[in-house]
Amino acid sequence: MLVTMTTAPLRKDAARNWHRIVEVGRRFVDEGTPIQLNDVARAASVGVATVYRHFPTPEALVETVAIPGFEALLGQAERALAGDDPYAGLRDFLYASVDALLADASLSPVFAAPVNVLPHTAELKRRLADLSGRILDRARAAGAVDPGVTQDHVVPLMCGVVYAASVHPAACAEDRAAAGRRFLTVMLEGLRVRAS
């Protein structure tokens, strides 16, 4: 999805430049390289003014890189709400969230930012918060999750799971993903209500 700071359609050359800049931004995020727009311009082989025209701040570029990940999580949330089993929907959505946060380094800083540069990012975050709250409410209403557990509890717990998996002394991303799933399984066991 082509998200720009303006709503006007881009000319072909401008669209090509936009895609090159976003590809470089994605690579920098994946490598853990700080986003400096002058460095992005050099790596994308475009002028600095071109980068600033599309992305006036590094945050705008990082948010653009993160948008596909947010849209994928929204799809997961919608599927979780449409399913028959409220607990399975919650569980599967939380697993998908941990997987996404560990696989896509652009998501955590955008999630953590108190203010977003792009209105589209703010809207995606608002929708995701709404859907994830409804997923949890549905699991609580079904008696599958401790009635005292709220979204205000789950969010920091999820941050803890992602942090623990990120600092895990793993040699590769697959190990971090496996660690994240193990830690999340422990967390889910603590949330679940079982029949006595």
Side-chain angles (χ1 to χ4, degrees):
M1 178 178 188
L2 186 67
V3 178
T4 63
M5 297 301 290
T6 62
T7 57
L10 295 175
R11 295 183 330 262
K12 278 188 181 179
D13 60 333
R16 236 185 344 265
N17 288 340
W18 185 92
H19 283 290
R20 282 214 310 263
I21 294 163
V22 172
E23 285 170 6
V24 169
R26 169 89 268 165
R27 192 177 79 233
F28 278 24
V29 166
D30 290 344
E31 293 170 352
T33 303
I35 300 282
Q36 302 293 330
L37 295 181
N38 290 3
D39 296 340
V40 170
R42 218 173 357 266
S45 301
V46 298
V48 173
T50 299
V51 175
Y52 278 91
R53 191 164 39 254
H54 291 292
F55 303 101
T57 66
E59 292 79 12
L61 179 53
V62 174
E63 287 181 28
T64 300
V65 168
I67 282 173
F70 276 99
E71 290 173 340
L73 281 175
L74 278 170
Q76 291 281 347
E78 288 163 354
R79 285 189 289 283
L81 280 172
D84 294 333
D85 183 336
Y87 179 77
L90 173 66
R91 179 198 63 212
D92 294 348
F93 174 67
L94 293 180
Y95 277 122
S97 298
V98 165
D99 289 346
L101 287 162
L102 289 171
D104 185 345
S106 69
L107 292 176
S108 288
V110 176
F111 263 122
V115 177
N116 297 110
V117 177
L118 304 178
H120 186 58
T121 307
E123 174 60 15
L124 289 173
K125 283 173 64 174
R126 186 200 60 73
R127 285 177 51 208
L128 194 55
D130 175 62
L131 289 175
S132 59
R134 287 169 54 199
I135 293 166
L136 179 61
D137 290 345
R138 187 171 172 245
R140 267 200 323 256
V145 171
D146 184 325
V149 174
T150 68
Q151 194 167 9
D152 288 340
H153 300 126
V154 175
V155 170
L157 288 170
M158 290 290 287
C159 292
V161 165
V162 171
Y163 175 77
S166 297
V167 298
H168 190 266
C172 61
E174 289 78 26
D175 291 337
R176 283 194 303 279
R181 285 181 158 255
R182 277 195 305 277
F183 300 152
L184 180 57
T185 298
V186 172
M187 185 188 100
L188 285 166
E189 287 300 303
L191 296 178
R192 192 161 190 187
V193 169
R194 289 168 187 77
S196 52

